[in-house]
């Protein structure tokens, strides 16, 4: 995961600062998915969305974008949101909607991961270090005759674990 924080886009920067600012954002073109985080409490929300989209287009960023409307805890009434999909409303302060955001990220990542359960005999415990290095281990339990694991793995690792899958 690579995170790039734009620290907010500012519309009226001097020309030389705009070029420097864009240079710090060039990494976004290598991302699998972008989170466009919008402050719902800002009176300039729509203008800021347009500005960010223009900068992303000028950088050549064409990957999936998830619109993340933040600060729903500060908004008293429903605000009509642009019909941009996918989108999620969250509160970073209270945590509301974060689970939906994580699910949306998972749905938009281009790499396919397999969710599998494994039973590794103790005499083959060397597989554990590979799993911890190359997979996302969700659960690990030491049982009487084996180690039980629940993991997310990519295609290559998945094909190497057929003998252990439950």
């Amino acid at each position: 995961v690579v995170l790039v924080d734009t620290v907010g886009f500012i519309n009226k920067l001097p020309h030389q600062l705009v070029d420097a600012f864009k240079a710090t954002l060039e990494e976004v073109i290598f991302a699998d998915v972008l989170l466009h985080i919008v402050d719902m409490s800002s009176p300039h929300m729509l203008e800021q969305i347009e500005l960010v989209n223009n900068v992303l287009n000028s950088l050549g960023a064409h990957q999936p974008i998830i619109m993340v409307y933040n600060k729903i805890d500060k908004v008293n009434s429903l605000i009509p949101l642009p019909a941009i999909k996918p989108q999620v409303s969250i509160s970073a302060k209270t945590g509301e909607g974060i689970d939906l955001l994580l699910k949306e990220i998972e749905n938009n990542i281009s790499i396919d991961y397999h969710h599998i359960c494994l039973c590794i005999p103790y005499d083959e415990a060397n597989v554990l270090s590979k799993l911890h290095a190359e997979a996302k281990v969700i659960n690990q339990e030491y049982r009487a005759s084996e180690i039980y694991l629940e993991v997310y793995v990519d295609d290559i690792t998945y094909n190497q674990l057929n003998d252990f899958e439950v």
Side-chain angles (χ1 to χ4, degrees):
V1 174
V2 175
L3 300 174
V4 178
D5 185 358
T6 63
V7 194
F9 285 74
I10 301 171
N11 198 10
K12 300 194 184 208
L13 285 176
H15 183 69
Q16 64 273 22
L17 287 180
V18 171
D19 290 338
F21 184 64
K22 283 185 180 179
T24 66
L25 291 176
E26 288 176 350
E27 296 172 19
V28 303
I29 64 172
F30 300 110
D32 291 319
V33 65
L34 298 175
L35 303 182
H36 181 165
I37 301 173
V38 178
D39 180 350
M40 287 185 69
S41 67
S42 171
H44 307 289
M45 178 179 76
L46 296 177
E47 294 87 1
Q48 291 168 339
I49 291 171
E50 184 178 350
L51 176 63
V52 170
N53 288 338
N54 289 340
V55 171
L56 291 174
N57 286 333
S58 73
L59 292 170
H62 301 293
Q63 53 277 80
I65 297 175
I66 301 170
M67 294 298 294
V68 182
Y69 295 99
N70 189 24
K71 299 188 181 179
I72 59 175
D73 55 296
K74 293 181 103 178
V75 179
N76 294 330
S77 61
L78 291 176
I79 296 174
L81 300 175
I84 301 169
K85 297 290 182 183
Q87 64 177 258
V88 179
S89 296
I90 68 163
S91 169
K93 182 177 182 179
T94 68
E96 182 180 353
I98 298 296
D99 54 338
L100 297 172
L101 174 58
L102 293 173
K103 188 68 173 163
E104 199 60 56
I105 292 169
E106 184 179 320
N107 291 341
N108 281 275
I109 292 179
S110 60
I111 300 170
D112 289 327
Y113 286 96
H114 302 272
H115 178 226
I116 58 173
C117 297
L118 307 167
C119 286
I120 312 291
Y122 283 108
D123 61 344
E124 298 200 46
N126 60 322
V127 174
L128 286 178
S129 62
K130 178 178 178 63
L131 286 171
H132 283 283
E134 299 177 10
K136 178 173 172 78
V137 177
I138 305 300
N139 186 24
Q140 181 173 322
E141 298 174 13
Y142 291 91
R143 297 181 176 170
S145 61
E146 63 201 8
I147 305 163
Y148 170 83
L149 293 115
E150 181 181 354
V151 297
Y152 284 99
V153 294
D154 62 20
D155 285 334
I156 294 168
T157 306
Y158 175 74
N159 292 325
Q160 297 170 350
L161 298 170
N162 292 337
D163 294 342
F164 304 114
E165 191 170 2
V166 180

